Amino acid sequence: MPVMHFKVQWPDGTEANCYSPSTVVGDFFAAGQRYALSDFVDRAREALHIGSDRVREKYGFACSAAMDQLAQIEEVARRFATDPHAEVKVIELI
């Protein structure tokens, strides 16, 4: 199953490399695009759940790495939740 990574820049300028077990993440994000924080988290949640479900369909179990990645995204996003202008930039899809 092809995996995909996506590099993001958080509102404070820090960068993170994120993992998806499926290329479906490319349907939710575009390189160079900025997303409102809540929109980014919602898109990541949906993409990573779909990716995990694809793993389940193929191998019979969910992708724990996708759920771990989602938990990390949600944890970092909470730091910026009080900023109504917070955006996340998707730097690249790898």
Side-chain angles (χ1 to χ4, degrees):
M1 183 159 225
V3 302
M4 181 174 268
H5 292 86
F6 52 110
K7 186 174 185 178
V8 301
Q9 182 179 52
W10 291 100
D12 65 357
T14 59
E15 296 180 0
N17 290 311
C18 301
Y19 166 84
S20 171
S22 168
T23 58
V24 71
V25 76
D27 295 339
F28 289 84
F29 297 118
Q33 183 69 40
R34 293 185 176 275
Y35 299 89
L37 181 66
S38 61
D39 184 35
F40 172 78
V41 173
D42 289 344
R43 288 169 180 262
R45 185 177 295 119
E46 187 170 355
L48 291 169
H49 276 288
I50 290 170
S52 181
D53 288 344
R54 288 182 178 179
V55 170
R56 182 189 322 275
E57 288 171 10
K58 186 168 183 171
Y59 299 107
F61 52 86
C63 179
S64 60
M67 296 302 92
D68 290 346
Q69 181 62 74
L70 178 57
Q72 290 173 5
I73 287 171
E74 291 172 335
E75 181 180 332
V76 174
R78 279 193 285 277
R79 295 190 344 226
F80 307 106
T82 59
D83 179 354
H85 304 291
E87 292 182 327
V88 179
K89 179 180 180 181
V90 175
I91 299 169
E92 64 181 328
L93 301 171
I94 309 160

